[in-house]
Amino acid sequence: MREMLKEALEVFYRVDTAETLGEAVEWIESFAYSAMLLDRNLFGKDEGMELIPRLKKLQPSCAVMIASAYGGVEERIAGLAAGADDYLEKPYDLRELKMRLDGLIRRFAPDVIEVGSLTLDLGNQTISAEGKNIVLSKKEHDVLFFIASRPDKIFSRDDIANAVYSDPSSMTSNTIDVVISHIRKKLPVDIIETVKGRGYALKNV
Amino acid sequence: MREMLKEALEVFYRVDTAETLGEAVEWIESFAYSAMLLDRNLFGKDEGMELIPRLKKLQPSCAVMIASAYGGVEERIAGLAAGADDYLEKPYDLRELKMRLDGLIRRFAPDVIEVGSLTLDLGNQTISAEGKNIVLSKKEHDVLFFIASRPDKIFSRDDIANAVYSDPSSMTSNTIDVVISHIRKKLPVDIIETVKGRGYALKNV
DNA sequence: CCGTACATGAAAAAATCATGAAAATGTGAG
DNA sequence: CTCACATTTTCATGATTTTTTCATGTACGG
């Protein structure tokens, strides 16, 4: 079941799954997530719930959705009391799950990223520093906001090309590098980190 | 109840909720809102009402809607007397709430935009500069006021076409560009900003 | 040090945009 | 209905900006 779900969701999200409570804890201590989907019937009924405050402490901007077969009011209340943000009754439709997840993620996504004096507003898709707006060209903009969409992740040049270019296969030169260089030249602080051999990532503060 | 409402409204608006009067005060001192929905039965019957003048002083263009279970005439009068702009009787339908909120927000939205000597009156849909009225043709007018409807947003040519043309798919040429050019020619100041690669936006001051 | 990966200036190529002018369409008076 | 005039759309052009390539210099890890 977990593997099926993972496979289905992986079309839209980057997904990690945990088989045990300990594994889950390891994940949330290692990566920044947008959302956690927690089956109330896993890990024992209430032990699993302990994950929620733990996650929320580490990652306040991560949303928590609980799925459970027993859809009584008490269940729902218990979930929300434990800190969940949404509640889904099994059996559920995959499309419904995706819609609800998207909604949750949208609501919880921190929509500004600040690095030094620089502010990226992911909602309005604008960049500013010390009150002044900064304008990038389209490609520069797309690349920067793609990298910023997952501040934790390291993106390979291929990742970036696939996201930003309609025909990534036709990219022969070091275009991405140059675009990065241009972005850096236009921003007052270097917000992009080069990870030699792996790609680029957003500098975490 | 509050959480449910928040969740429902969050599909359409950005929502903050307050559990206590103090929390509410904190919110309205920190952010600019379009509307406040106030349950008459919260915070004690009349203490809550004190919020209204306080809000109105800080944010005159913020609308206030009161919801209450006891729908007597006196209640309604008391609410309006306290400075509320609309009154909603519980139980209410969510769709009704949204419609009424939208109406309120529209009524209270500051409806003039001034850029330099130019004034756009969104309510009356008129344009003037230095006392003189400026008349645009229909398409020009539609395009300009569509862009002005969201002064912060960048509109792609597709956005504009979809909003202004009945059959946007049949648009093959650079019609939007030309209309923009015409608008610029008729206005004394260039109020429209070109965002290369992305579209057009209203110039912010 | 050495080799590879990265950064960047500069030139070339491509895309985007503004606008004049012409063609098509709509409008209203006589 | 017809003509004159205004509006809307298309198209061609040139100016400008963006994007890409390429060559070369620099930093980094081993």
Side-chain angles (χ1 to χ4, degrees):
Chain A
M1 178 63 191
R2 186 177 55 244
E3 280 309 314
M4 265 182 51
L5 247 185
K6 177 176 159 79
E7 211 168 296
L9 290 175
E10 230 151 23
V11 179
F12 307 106
Y13 315 102
R14 213 193 54 71
V15 183
D16 296 319
T17 64
E19 197 167 351
T20 67
L21 197 62
E23 203 182 330
V25 170
E26 235 172 90
W27 280 125
I28 68 178
E29 281 174 350
S30 314
F31 293 100
Y33 292 100
S34 307
M36 172 167 77
L37 176 61
L38 182 60
D39 192 312
R40 185 130 160 67
N41 300 106
L42 284 179
F43 311 144
K45 205 159 214 62
D46 291 312
E47 290 87 309
M49 295 297 107
E50 287 173 25
L51 258 183
I52 301 179
R54 205 145 170 179
L55 169 66
K56 287 289 185 178
K57 190 169 177 188
L58 286 166
Q59 305 186 32
S61 71
C62 180
V64 174
M65 166 118 70
I66 292 190
S68 165
Y70 315 109
V73 179
E74 279 111 333
E75 284 287 324
R76 180 180 289 262
I77 289 175
L80 298 178
D85 305 299
D86 199 0
Y87 194 100
L88 192 62
E89 263 175 47
K90 294 198 284 189
Y92 47 79
D93 187 285
L94 261 180
R95 285 162 306 179
E96 189 196 355
L97 173 60
K98 173 170 191 311
M99 275 174 46
R100 302 268 292 268
L101 271 179
D102 282 343
L104 261 190
I105 290 170
R106 198 175 331 112
R107 268 172 34 215
F108 273 79
D111 53 356
V112 293
I113 293 176
E114 304 196 17
V115 179
S117 61
L118 203 72
T119 304
L120 299 193
D121 187 325
L122 300 183
N124 290 339
Q125 295 266 306
T126 56
I127 310 163
S128 62
E130 286 142 28
K132 272 192 296 192
N133 257 38
I134 295 176
V135 182
L136 300 184
S137 80
K138 183 158 189 328
K139 276 272 134 65
E140 290 157 10
H141 181 97
D142 288 352
V143 169
L144 177 57
F145 275 85
F146 173 64
I147 293 175
S149 70
R150 291 282 312 264
D152 50 312
K153 194 171 181 310
I154 298 168
F155 292 99
S156 73
R157 289 170 176 71
D158 274 359
D159 291 337
I160 298 172
N162 282 321
V164 172
Y165 288 80
S166 55
D167 180 10
S169 63
S170 72
M171 311 257 322
T172 73
S173 186
N174 64 339
T175 312
I176 302 287
D177 298 47
V178 178
V179 173
I180 297 278
S181 173
H182 290 164
I183 294 172
R184 283 175 170 153
K185 209 178 300 180
K186 289 189 183 177
L187 300 187
V189 289
D190 188 0
I191 192 178
I192 298 172
E193 181 163 17
T194 306
V195 185
K196 211 171 160 79
R198 305 227 276 142
Y200 297 99
L202 208 69
K203 265 193 186 145
N204 29 354
V205 183
Chain B
M1 178 63 191
R2 187 177 53 243
E3 280 309 316
M4 264 182 52
L5 247 185
K6 178 176 159 77
E7 209 169 310
L9 291 175
E10 226 146 23
V11 179
F12 307 106
Y13 315 102
R14 212 194 56 71
V15 183
D16 296 316
T17 65
E19 196 167 353
T20 66
L21 196 62
E23 203 181 329
V25 171
E26 237 172 89
W27 280 125
I28 68 177
E29 281 175 348
S30 314
F31 294 100
Y33 291 100
S34 306
M36 172 168 78
L37 175 61
L38 182 61
D39 193 316
R40 185 129 160 68
N41 301 106
L42 285 178
F43 309 147
K45 208 160 214 59
D46 290 310
E47 289 86 313
M49 296 297 109
E50 288 171 24
L51 258 183
I52 301 178
R54 205 146 169 178
L55 169 66
K56 288 289 185 179
K57 190 170 176 188
L58 286 166
Q59 304 187 32
S61 72
C62 180
V64 174
M65 167 118 69
I66 291 190
S68 165
Y70 317 106
V73 180
E74 278 110 336
E75 284 288 323
R76 183 180 290 262
I77 289 176
L80 298 179
D85 305 298
D86 199 359
Y87 193 102
L88 191 64
E89 272 181 38
K90 293 197 285 189
Y92 47 80
D93 187 287
L94 263 180
R95 285 162 305 179
E96 188 196 357
L97 172 60
K98 174 172 190 312
M99 277 174 45
R100 301 268 292 268
L101 271 179
D102 281 345
L104 260 190
I105 290 170
R106 201 174 329 114
R107 281 202 346 248
F108 275 76
D111 56 352
V112 292
I113 293 175
E114 305 195 18
V115 179
S117 62
L118 203 73
T119 304
L120 297 194
D121 187 324
L122 299 182
N124 298 334
Q125 296 265 306
T126 56
I127 310 163
S128 61
E130 287 142 26
K132 274 190 295 190
N133 257 38
I134 296 176
V135 182
L136 300 182
S137 79
K138 177 146 189 340
K139 278 271 132 67
E140 291 158 8
H141 181 96
D142 288 353
V143 169
L144 177 56
F145 276 87
F146 174 64
I147 292 175
S149 70
R150 291 278 315 266
D152 47 317
K153 194 171 181 310
I154 298 170
F155 292 99
S156 72
R157 289 170 175 72
D158 275 359
D159 291 338
I160 298 172
N162 282 321
V164 172
Y165 288 81
S166 55
D167 182 9
S169 62
S170 72
M171 310 257 322
T172 74
S173 186
N174 64 339
T175 312
I176 303 287
D177 298 49
V178 178
V179 174
I180 297 279
S181 176
H182 290 163
I183 295 172
R184 283 175 170 152
K185 211 176 298 180
K186 289 188 183 177
L187 300 187
V189 288
D190 187 0
I191 192 178
I192 298 172
E193 181 163 18
T194 305
V195 186
K196 220 168 160 68
R198 304 226 272 148
Y200 296 98
L202 210 68
K203 264 194 186 144
N204 27 356
V205 184

